[in-house]
Amino acid sequence: MTVIDISPSVMQFLLAFIVVAPLLGAVAALLPAPPGLRGRNPDQAVLRHGVTVTGAVLIAAIVLAVGFDHDHPATMQATTDISWIPALGVRIHLGIDGISLPLLLLTALLTFLCALYSYFKLPAGPSPKAFVALVLVLESGTLATFAVLDLLLFFLAFEMVLIPMYFLIARWGGDQRRAAAWKFILYTLLGSVVMLLGLLLIGLKSGTFDMVALATDNGRGLTTSVQVIAVLAIGIGLAVKTPMWPLHSWLPDAHTAAPTVGSVLLAGVLLKMGTYGFVRILLPIAPDGMRTFAPYLAAFAVVGIVYGSLACLALARNGAKGDLKRLIAYSSVGHMGFVLLGIATMTPTGVNGALFANIAHGLITGLLFFLVGAIKDRYGTADLDTLAGATGAALYGRAPRLGALLAFAAVASLGLPGLAGFWGEMLTLFGAYSPAEGLSRPVFRTFMAIGAFGTLLTAAYMLIVVRRVCMGEHSPHSQLSPDDRTPQPADGPERPTAAGSPPQLADIQTYEAAAWTPLAALTVLAGLWPAILLSLTDPAVQKLLAGGKS
């Protein structure tokens, strides 16, 4: 069933446009604006260009989803297959199925919302032209990662996002931005070098780099030893990007230093590239190698769940001087642990849960980073002790709508039933209860119990954050100075209030509501109607795990 019947050639064009248009838009952003489009402010003109290009890509992605055949989500659609480097057998092979389509839509949506937000709230830094061009290059690389069906093209797209994100952190970031950017680029590049060796090993041993042909072969053309080596090499590169404990240490620094839109794209899009690679490449192409490493992957995943939660609890406690952006970054380590646990089960239930958790994390954590960025702009800091001690009423008293939305995002992140965060974690734990044949049930049920304990820890630190930031606290032992207790908002002077009431901050602005409402609405929609995602992913996952057989 398709909502609108669109011809295959138009579908091909739409997918190619989605991948290439941001790259062309990035080049155009660096050129002088035509006289009629300059307006009174050249900086606003280039920011408007970014909104226009990302908006056109989002519209094309929505039309592509409308024309997608939802009766056959396991079939690759909108495919383009052109020979590129005949000597190596490399082809420009594009296509989407029920696994990649939601990630494509998520990427297009988040990038558009970031461009819209930046139009009104550009982070301090160098030329807006360079900022817009880097965001568009980043979008092109991430969209290509989810659309290409050739191993070498996947690697090129995977690497394409590193340099733009490096400069977004290093040039438009906050304190310690250069050190955080260097850490990000070194970790990810080292992981990528190892991953390339694994991809070349698969391509040379099997005689093809085509991901569809390799998935259909289901590892039959590769010996077990080759699969094990390939999974180890590729898995390290993917695990760094995910990030999996203990390869995660670049993430908190990068998020803390990055500008708001950089954090949104890093959490909402870039982390998904690693887990997508596990599902698209390793599960179908090297199943024996994955089965060998699955218990270890699950063990690292549950350690990451507990570690991330404990780190968040340590940052959230009174007097720890914890940074709220850093806390949300550590929460991503725990949430992505659930995704890796679902993948490690090698079952349709677990992998569907992992894919659902991927999308839910992109929506919820993207919203959280938007909100934390707005709070930091208003207070001039993201320090939890300062935010909690600023007034007795904190956000609920000073910016009630902003406080309410932060509380909503927090309870969505902790997995409240009825919101998107619940289903991914639940399905992942169900998958761990009954893992694939050949995997130890007692071991995976132990991992399931540890993961379930991690959900309790998540609820604990999220509720502490809501209590402290939204409600505030009075402590006679507080070491905060009077100046720390009533910081001046960065967006302008506080509004006058009645005697005895807390000074007000600017509440949610119109442009902020425009950027944040879609994420909140989709969080509710996916939570109340999970079939909207599962009906796409489940047939594709079933086919993937069955070796290309529906």
Side-chain angles (χ1 to χ4, degrees):
M1 177 194 71
T2 57
V3 180
I4 298 177
D5 191 17
I6 300 178
S7 70
S9 59
V10 174
M11 293 285 282
Q12 287 178 346
F13 169 78
L14 285 172
L15 185 57
F17 174 82
I18 287 169
V19 173
V20 175
L23 203 56
L24 298 177
V27 175
L30 297 174
L31 300 175
L37 297 178
R38 288 177 186 169
R40 289 179 295 179
N41 187 334
D43 290 349
Q44 289 299 103
V46 74
L47 293 172
R48 187 166 57 246
H49 168 78
V51 174
T52 302
V53 174
T54 55
V57 171
L58 176 59
I59 292 171
I62 293 172
V63 175
L64 187 71
V66 168
F68 187 81
D69 185 356
H70 292 259
D71 285 337
H72 301 91
T75 304
M76 284 294 172
Q77 302 178 37
T79 54
T80 299
D81 192 0
I82 304 169
S83 179
W84 184 34
I85 308 177
L88 296 177
V90 180
R91 307 180 68 82
I92 299 177
H93 193 182
L94 305 176
I96 55 167
D97 63 358
I99 294 172
S100 50
L101 179 61
L103 290 166
L104 207 73
L105 288 168
L106 176 68
T107 301
L109 173 65
L110 282 176
T111 313
F112 169 71
L113 296 180
C114 285
L116 181 65
Y117 187 84
S118 299
Y119 180 80
F120 296 95
K121 192 72 177 177
L122 182 69
S127 164
K129 280 190 171 187
F131 177 83
V132 171
L134 289 169
V135 169
L136 291 174
V137 172
L138 185 70
E139 180 182 31
S140 181
T142 50
L143 290 169
T145 301
F146 301 133
V148 297
L149 297 172
D150 183 275
L151 288 179
L152 291 186
L153 277 184
F154 175 86
F155 177 78
L156 292 176
F158 199 86
E159 296 304 289
M160 185 175 168
V161 304
L162 301 185
I163 300 303
M165 182 53 71
Y166 167 80
F167 281 110
L168 285 175
I169 297 172
R171 304 303 300 276
W172 283 269
D175 297 336
Q176 304 296 320
R177 59 183 182 269
R178 294 188 184 278
W182 272 109
K183 198 170 185 180
F184 162 77
I185 199 75
L186 289 176
Y187 263 79
T188 49
L189 281 178
L190 287 173
S192 297
V193 169
V194 182
M195 183 175 75
L196 177 60
L197 297 177
L199 295 173
L200 290 174
L201 177 65
I202 288 177
L204 295 174
K205 289 293 184 181
S206 62
T208 181
F209 289 99
D210 187 89
M211 291 159 66
V212 176
L214 288 166
T216 304
D217 187 63
N218 202 218
R220 286 182 285 270
L222 300 171
T223 64
T224 301
S225 59
V226 168
Q227 289 189 39
V228 168
I229 295 171
V231 168
L232 180 61
I234 298 171
I236 288 174
L238 297 174
V240 170
K241 187 66 72 74
T242 298
M244 180 186 77
W245 181 91
L247 304 174
H248 69 284
S249 60
W250 61 269
L251 184 71
D253 293 339
H255 270 309
T256 304
T260 296
V261 294
S263 292
V264 172
L265 293 174
L266 183 58
V269 177
L270 266 69
L271 303 189
K272 312 300 174 282
M273 295 165 61
T275 52
Y276 175 77
F278 276 104
V279 175
R280 178 65 74 196
I281 297 174
L282 295 185
L283 277 178
I285 294 176
D288 293 339
M290 271 298 292
R291 198 169 286 107
T292 299
F293 282 107
Y296 304 102
L297 179 62
F300 285 126
V302 296
V303 170
I305 292 170
V306 175
Y307 171 83
S309 299
L310 291 176
C312 290
L313 281 171
L315 289 170
R317 66 183 176 84
N318 189 17
K321 291 290 182 182
D323 186 283
L324 190 51
K325 285 188 74 175
R326 195 172 188 86
L327 185 146
I328 303 302
Y330 270 112
S331 77
S332 290
V333 176
H335 289 306
M336 298 312 289
F338 279 102
V339 178
L340 290 173
L341 177 61
I343 293 169
T345 67
M346 300 184 68
T347 62
T349 302
V351 176
N352 275 304
L355 294 172
F356 199 104
N358 246 352
I359 301 298
H361 179 266
L363 296 172
I364 297 168
T365 308
L367 178 58
L368 278 170
F369 274 116
F370 267 134
L371 293 169
V372 173
I375 291 170
K376 187 173 183 179
D377 288 337
R378 285 159 168 79
Y379 279 92
T381 181
D383 176 72
L384 270 167
D385 288 339
T386 302
L387 297 178
T391 78
L395 272 185
Y396 284 162
R398 307 188 74 190
R401 287 189 292 275
L402 182 60
L405 191 55
L406 178 64
F408 166 82
V411 297
S413 183
L414 64 83
L416 184 73
L419 299 176
F422 171 73
W423 295 105
E425 294 181 2
M426 186 193 71
L427 290 172
T428 293
L429 295 176
F430 278 174
Y433 182 81
S434 184
E437 185 179 353
L439 300 178
S440 170
R441 285 196 174 191
V443 169
F444 271 82
R445 287 179 181 178
T446 302
F447 293 151
M448 180 197 72
I450 298 172
F453 176 67
T455 63
L456 299 177
L457 296 177
T458 302
Y461 71 73
M462 277 300 178
L463 292 176
I464 291 173
V465 167
V466 170
R467 177 179 61 78
R468 299 192 68 205
V469 177
C470 295
M471 302 176 188
E473 58 193 8
H474 287 297
S475 173
H477 305 294
S478 174
Q479 298 178 355
L480 296 174
S481 68
D483 291 337
D484 290 331
R485 290 180 178 278
T486 55
Q488 292 296 317
D491 286 349
E494 296 174 335
R495 297 196 296 272
T497 59
S501 63
Q504 299 293 297
L505 293 176
D507 212 332
I508 296 177
Q509 306 296 297
T510 303
Y511 72 92
E512 293 173 331
W516 303 342
T517 300
L519 300 179
L522 288 172
T523 298
V524 174
L525 179 63
L528 296 178
W529 191 16
I532 198 171
L533 266 178
L534 295 175
S535 61
L536 284 172
T537 61
D538 185 53
V541 168
Q542 297 274 3
K543 181 177 180 180
L544 205 69
L545 295 176
K549 301 172 185 175
S550 300

